[in-house]
Amino acid sequence: MGSAKFAVFVDLENCGAKVDTLNNILEKVKIRGDILFGKVYGYTDRFSDLKEILLSNTFVVVPSLRYGAAQKNNADIQLVIDALKTAYSNPLIDSFCIVSGDSDYVPLVGTLKSMGKFVLGISRSEVASTIFINACNEFQFMESVGPRREIRAKAKKSAMEDDVQDEESLCKLIESILSESEEDEMYASELKGVLLRLRPQFNEKTYGCATFGKLLAKLSTHFGTIRIRNDSYNVMVSLVPDAAAPGAQESQPLRRDTWQAAFAAQLQRYKDDGFERINPSILKADIISSYPDFTEKSIGFRRFSDILKQLEKDGKLKLEMDSQRNMLIKML
């Protein structure tokens, strides 16, 4: 883990161009390796909130110059040319991340794979082509890339509570890194390397610890979601079983009188994250993640589509069909 060298190509229209969303995408890539080159397409003044994150990650920006009906195709062609140029001219790059779900990129994916490159695709579920999904070495829906925001109380009042919240945020990031690892354990030194890719300003002394090992021991004691052990002269770090989904085992099962509130809260999270439409499979996966015992029958329905129709009837969402007659959920 952590040895990949990535080139990242982002279709801003596809990713929704929100700071949090782009941050989550970059974190997902940085957990896997270093980003050596990045380029975004379709930039306009309405995406000015992204300036800081684009500059700090040294991304090249291709502006959107609207002219004629084929403008979108022009950007797609430019992305393909740039990706191939990078693949042929930079032998250090062995992995590509394409943030778009357009089936037009399938020949590009095929060419990159034939050159021995690893291709990670990321896209909103509402626009992801099944052909593109299957062509990539790995594909992730954008709605599932970032950690779900939890509903928290208002700002903490004391400095001590602020410190605890900072430690909790760090611990959750470490959990995310460990959950992405192909191995059950990571060397502490490797884990710190990934942390520094994600948070270049990271320093264990900020958390009152002289060494990274002492910080890990502190987080392990306080939160109980990570486990550390000494292996000769090495410190090994792993997730405590079920730590990848903390709180899931503590959640109350959905009942006929509570399920609507749970679904409404999840839909609101999508809306807060800037998603106007999602694939129903995303919603079902997130509900199961929060409520492992969930079944349609447990709340009085035969199929998940029946649940969606009831929510539409109650004004919680709107059901639509895309061009391929696949169902989509529209946020209200």
Side-chain angles (χ1 to χ4, degrees):
M1 182 178 180
S3 61
K5 307 297 182 184
F6 270 93
V8 180
F9 298 89
V10 181
D11 177 353
L12 287 179
E13 294 287 350
N14 182 272
C15 78
K18 288 178 68 71
V19 173
D20 287 345
T21 304
L22 188 54
N23 256 326
N24 290 335
I25 291 170
L26 295 182
E27 286 198 352
K28 179 66 68 174
V29 178
K30 288 178 180 178
I31 287 175
R32 286 161 167 73
D34 290 305
I35 298 177
L36 301 191
F37 179 77
K39 202 164 189 176
V40 298
Y41 301 81
Y43 184 88
T44 65
D45 287 341
R46 68 189 179 95
F47 299 145
S48 58
D49 289 347
L50 300 176
K51 285 183 180 179
E52 182 176 349
I53 184 175
L54 293 175
L55 288 171
S56 62
N57 285 279
T58 64
F59 267 62
V60 178
V61 174
V62 178
S64 176
L65 299 176
R66 299 287 177 183
Y67 184 78
Q71 172 58 36
K72 182 62 172 67
N73 287 337
N74 292 342
D76 292 348
I77 293 171
Q78 186 63 54
L79 189 155
V80 172
I81 293 172
D82 291 341
L84 290 175
K85 185 187 298 182
T86 301
Y88 281 106
S89 65
N90 193 332
L92 294 176
I93 293 175
D94 56 20
S95 303
F96 285 74
C97 175
I98 300 173
V99 184
S100 179
D102 199 324
S103 61
D104 290 345
Y105 293 127
V106 171
L108 169 63
V109 174
T111 301
L112 292 174
K113 288 169 67 177
S114 72
M115 297 174 66
K117 310 297 185 182
F118 175 88
V119 182
L120 168 65
I122 300 177
S123 173
R124 288 180 294 150
S125 64
E126 66 168 299
V127 296
S129 162
T130 302
I131 299 173
F132 179 74
I133 292 172
N134 293 333
C136 294
N137 294 104
E138 180 183 354
F139 183 91
Q140 298 204 16
F141 288 116
M142 202 171 294
E143 296 90 332
S144 303
V145 165
R148 288 277 164 244
R149 290 202 295 258
E150 297 180 6
I151 300 174
R152 297 183 180 275
K154 294 296 181 181
K156 308 294 182 183
K157 295 184 178 180
S158 71
M160 182 178 296
E161 288 174 322
D162 285 337
D163 290 342
V164 171
Q165 189 173 11
D166 289 341
E167 289 178 0
E168 182 180 9
S169 176
L170 175 63
C171 192
K172 288 186 179 297
L173 180 57
I174 291 175
E175 291 169 23
S176 178
I177 295 171
L178 292 171
S179 68
E180 292 287 340
S181 175
E182 296 178 356
E183 306 295 334
D184 293 334
E185 291 183 309
M186 286 183 69
Y187 289 102
S189 57
E190 182 185 8
L191 174 60
K192 184 175 180 179
V194 178
L195 272 177
L196 286 170
R197 280 204 299 267
L198 297 170
R199 303 285 188 269
Q201 75 279 16
F202 169 77
N203 190 319
E204 53 267 23
K205 293 180 176 61
T206 304
Y207 299 88
C209 298
T211 66
F212 186 56
K214 290 182 178 179
L215 175 57
L216 292 173
K218 181 180 180 182
L219 296 176
S220 177
T221 300
H222 283 186
F223 302 105
T225 55
I226 62 174
R227 175 187 296 146
I228 60 174
R229 71 177 182 87
N230 291 314
D231 180 18
S232 298
Y233 296 101
N234 298 309
V235 176
M236 308 299 297
V237 192
S238 62
L239 280 174
V240 171
D242 298 324
Q249 65 273 22
E250 302 170 2
S251 62
Q252 297 296 321
L254 290 182
R255 302 190 306 269
R256 298 192 182 201
D257 60 337
T258 62
W259 72 269
Q260 281 201 339
F263 273 74
Q266 187 62 51
L267 291 168
Q268 185 62 46
R269 292 188 191 106
Y270 296 133
K271 189 173 181 180
D272 292 342
D273 286 340
F275 297 105
E276 296 180 0
R277 295 172 178 81
I278 61 165
N279 189 291
S281 62
I282 298 294
L283 176 59
K284 184 171 183 178
D286 281 336
I287 289 295
I288 292 175
S289 177
S290 299
Y291 304 92
D293 295 330
F294 164 77
T295 64
E296 289 84 349
K297 291 182 179 179
S298 67
I299 58 175
F301 294 91
R302 292 182 58 192
R303 298 179 296 269
F304 195 73
S305 59
D306 295 331
I307 296 176
L308 299 180
K309 291 174 183 177
Q310 182 63 51
L311 289 169
E312 182 179 43
K313 182 178 178 181
D314 294 337
K316 305 293 185 184
L317 54 80
K318 181 176 175 58
L319 296 177
E320 298 180 343
M321 294 289 181
D322 64 14
S323 58
Q324 298 179 343
R325 303 302 295 170
N326 296 315
M327 184 181 291
L328 293 174
I329 297 172
K330 181 181 179 180
M331 311 305 147
L332 297 178

